[in-house]
Amino acid sequence: MPIPEDVTGDEIDKDVRQELQSLPKTLAEDVAKNLVMVARLIDEDPEGAYGYSKVALRLASRVAAVREAGGFAAYANQKYGEALAEFRAARRMTGNVELWPVMADCERGLGRPEKALDMAGASEVHKLDKAGQVEMRLVAAGARRDMGQLDAAIVTLQSPELASNSVQPWTARLRYAYADALLAAGRRAEAREWFAKAVEADRDGSTDASDRLAELDGVEFVDALAEDETDAENLDTDTDTDNDIDGDIDGDKD
């Protein structure tokens, strides 16, 4: 796959660059460039990111960072079985547990929420940092919802991190998940309160909490572009009608 001229491969994280030092220089550069493209495209063009990840895997499947990138690219394309296999391979190579939550979420994607819950209760969770533990809680709550256990999902999300007034990178998503679970359980007033709290924490717009809050408040947003197009169509219609009238008048004069 083509690599844009502005991609040099130097953009990758220093830890990944260190991993690639085990490869011949030219090969390492090629792999690095493909990994940069995976990171660049994964949010906006997951299919494109997946394509570059496959190239990197073909070139250096024995590098943990490459297997991890392949896992995330497959995950972004909802290829959960493939993603899980890549994450497991990366974990075997490194021994790290940081991929544990996303591996559990792959189990959910494969229709195995019970397996995800088993993973949420495993000893590996205690080795995760705070962000990883919150992520694991989100996955566990999602698994409970998959199983139709709404009350259990709500209880799962009730935690010191949820109650804290400090805003962390995970705060908006945690509050949003809690609000969404409350709403699904019919607890509308509480859901509105927590969607509002999610909005307060969502500084980078990572959720659509503001839209959900507006929806609960009965606020309707008008698409200005669509409105302009409608006005233009109406203007064209009016113009055509005027022409028809002029034609009829001219005809009457004749």
Side-chain angles (χ1 to χ4, degrees):
M1 298 181 68
I3 303 290
E5 292 183 1
D6 65 317
V7 174
T8 65
D10 293 334
E11 302 89 341
I12 61 173
D13 183 87
K14 62 179 182 180
D15 292 335
V16 177
R17 188 180 300 112
Q18 187 173 359
E19 280 193 62
L20 295 180
Q21 287 179 354
S22 62
L23 303 174
K25 188 174 185 297
T26 302
L27 179 59
E29 291 175 353
D30 289 342
V31 173
K33 289 178 181 179
N34 279 281
L35 293 181
V36 170
M37 293 305 299
V38 173
R40 178 181 288 191
L41 297 176
I42 197 163
D43 292 328
E44 301 298 328
D45 180 12
E47 289 187 10
Y50 179 74
Y52 283 103
S53 76
K54 299 301 285 186
V55 174
L57 282 166
R58 188 174 68 248
L59 296 174
S61 62
R62 295 185 179 181
V63 176
V66 172
R67 303 303 290 267
E68 184 175 328
F72 278 111
Y75 180 81
N77 284 275
Q78 300 182 1
K79 299 177 183 292
Y80 298 116
E82 183 177 337
L84 185 58
E86 297 298 344
F87 289 142
R88 283 174 173 167
R91 183 167 180 267
R92 283 195 300 270
M93 293 174 180
T94 64
N96 294 335
V97 297
E98 60 186 23
L99 293 172
W100 197 252
V102 71
M103 290 169 63
D105 205 39
C106 286
E107 295 288 0
R108 284 187 60 212
L110 292 168
R112 302 193 292 247
E114 298 89 351
K115 178 62 176 175
L117 287 176
D118 288 342
M119 294 179 69
S123 60
E124 282 83 354
V125 176
H126 301 295
K127 301 175 185 178
L128 295 169
D129 60 14
K130 182 61 67 176
Q133 290 178 4
V134 170
E135 195 65 35
M136 193 71 247
R137 190 177 293 276
L138 288 167
V139 173
R144 291 292 185 188
R145 291 190 64 171
D146 293 343
M147 299 166 68
Q149 301 173 1
L150 276 175
D151 290 340
I154 290 170
V155 171
T156 299
L157 293 168
Q158 292 171 344
S159 61
E161 294 81 18
L162 179 67
S164 175
N165 290 323
S166 67
V167 175
Q168 303 295 334
W170 60 77
T171 303
R173 292 178 59 239
L174 184 59
R175 292 177 180 178
Y176 182 96
Y178 189 58
D180 193 47
L182 288 168
L183 187 61
R187 295 160 62 174
R188 186 182 179 92
E190 293 173 87
R192 190 208 174 280
E193 176 187 353
W194 282 97
F195 275 126
K197 289 182 178 181
V199 171
E200 292 174 0
D202 194 1
R203 296 167 179 170
D204 60 356
S206 61
T207 74
D208 64 347
S210 59
D211 292 341
R212 299 293 298 278
L213 181 61
E215 183 180 344
L216 285 173
D217 288 342
V219 177
E220 293 185 7
F221 294 100
V222 177
D223 188 331
L225 181 60
E227 191 176 56
D228 290 343
E229 290 177 349
T230 300
D231 290 342
E233 290 175 0
N234 290 336
L235 181 61
D236 290 341
T237 301
D238 292 342
T239 302
D240 290 342
T241 301
D242 290 343
N243 289 337
D244 290 342
I245 292 174
D246 290 344
D248 289 342
I249 291 175
D250 291 341
D252 290 343
K253 287 181 179 178
D254 292 340

